[in-house]
Amino acid sequence: MTPFHKYHGAGNDFILLDDREGKLLHQFDQPTIARWCDRHFGIGADGLMLLRNHPDYDFEMVYYNSDGAPSSMCGNGGRCIVRFAADMGIVKEAFHFLAVDGPHRANLLPNGWVSLEMLDVTEVSRPQPDVFVLDTGSPHYITFREDVAGIDVFREGRSLRNSAPYKEKGININFVCEDEDGLTILTYERGVEDETLACGTGVTAAAIAAIFRAGVADGYFHVPVKAKGGNLAVRGQLTEGRFTNLWLEGPAVRVFGGEMD
């Protein structure tokens, strides 16, 4: 029996495994991970992560989507594994860990949220006036709408994700609307191949697209974002078209733990 822990970041939920002894990773092939993440026949999650030792960092994050395949960076997963690392006794004022897209810094905030440093973004494409494509550790398609209520995220998201030129590698689809309180977002995630209640890299991409779309002048920005599963925020710096010092912030909560055969 293998101990596991279940965490979520604004409803984006994950299975966390402590593999600092290096005994678990080889046991988790794609069918096993998919079975564990299945919401009817397993534990149920949007992804599975292993916390592993690394000689140059506080820890290494190894992440898989719910289909069992290795994934690109997961922002909410990164925040959850930081909370998990702290719960497992890795106590730091500031964390420095390695993920698939490179090193990340992170902090536990006084309000219980976790703040995660994201990669700089230097390129944003705009194939249509209200459509933006960019990479925030994972590729994202952002489409702005007057209102996101009533959107069939599964149907429309799946159609866009499988359209040219995105079908082969896949892309995450985000439907976004703006109001005086910030952004509201709905996300269809590749690898999960369904709507998720939140997506950290998608929230980051939406905030950047909103700043780009508004033509905001260089300087500091802070964008509140409401996902289906809860509230998050993105802060950063815009300088001559470069988005730097990007931080994704939001809740990271342990739900339960147990053992799985």
Side-chain angles (χ1 to χ4, degrees):
M1 302 293 286
T2 302
F4 71 87
H5 305 262
K6 178 77 174 285
Y7 282 69
H8 82 86
N12 201 186
D13 58 343
F14 309 98
I15 299 165
L16 275 296
L17 303 174
D18 184 356
D19 192 28
R20 286 175 292 173
E21 294 184 359
K23 297 179 179 179
L24 296 180
L25 183 60
H26 71 279
Q27 301 178 29
F28 284 86
D29 56 14
Q30 185 166 350
T32 302
I33 295 167
R35 178 171 62 87
W36 277 47
C37 291
D38 190 284
R39 297 191 183 278
H40 299 287
F41 300 102
I43 299 162
D46 292 327
L48 180 146
M49 284 180 281
L50 294 98
L51 177 76
R52 307 201 77 199
N53 286 327
H54 193 285
D56 301 321
Y57 298 92
D58 296 327
F59 61 87
E60 181 180 5
M61 167 187 173
V62 179
Y63 181 77
Y64 298 88
N65 276 328
S66 63
D67 63 0
S71 176
S72 50
M73 180 56 185
C74 176
N76 284 328
R79 295 189 310 96
C80 284
I81 202 168
V82 168
R83 176 69 68 193
F84 178 59
D87 291 346
M88 292 295 103
I90 302 176
V91 181
K92 299 279 183 176
E93 288 188 9
F95 289 85
H96 191 215
F97 70 94
L98 184 65
V100 66
D101 62 339
H104 289 264
R105 293 180 294 162
N107 299 288
L108 304 179
L109 302 181
N111 65 355
W113 281 18
V114 176
S115 181
L116 174 69
E117 182 185 37
M118 306 295 285
L119 295 183
D120 292 351
V121 174
T122 59
E123 184 176 350
V124 180
S125 66
R126 193 174 191 172
Q128 300 174 33
D130 284 326
V131 173
F132 299 82
V133 176
L134 61 156
D135 195 310
T136 52
S138 290
H140 284 275
Y141 179 105
I142 309 292
T143 173
F144 284 89
R145 305 290 176 88
E146 288 294 323
D147 191 355
V148 294
I151 292 177
D152 187 336
V153 176
F154 178 80
R155 182 187 62 80
E156 192 170 346
R158 184 169 185 164
S159 176
L160 288 167
R161 176 256 187 268
N162 287 294
S163 64
Y166 312 115
K167 183 175 182 178
E168 182 179 352
K169 294 183 178 179
I171 195 167
N172 301 288
I173 308 299
N174 305 270
F175 305 93
V176 181
C177 68
E178 289 187 87
D179 59 32
E180 62 275 9
D181 297 322
L183 306 179
T184 300
I185 187 170
L186 303 176
T187 299
Y188 178 96
E189 282 199 51
R190 66 170 187 173
V192 179
E193 302 307 335
D194 204 346
E195 182 179 10
T196 55
L197 297 183
C199 173
T201 54
V203 164
T204 306
I208 290 170
I211 295 294
F212 192 95
R213 180 174 180 250
V216 174
D218 287 359
Y220 170 83
F221 62 87
H222 178 272
V223 181
V225 186
K226 182 178 181 181
K228 256 189 180 177
N231 295 323
L232 300 106
V234 178
R235 57 184 173 89
Q237 183 79 24
L238 171 61
T239 307
E240 297 180 352
R242 293 175 56 89
F243 293 86
T244 61
N245 198 25
L246 289 166
W247 292 81
L248 169 69
E249 299 178 341
V253 180
R254 184 179 188 272
V255 184
F256 63 87
E259 292 183 326
M260 183 77 170
D261 186 355

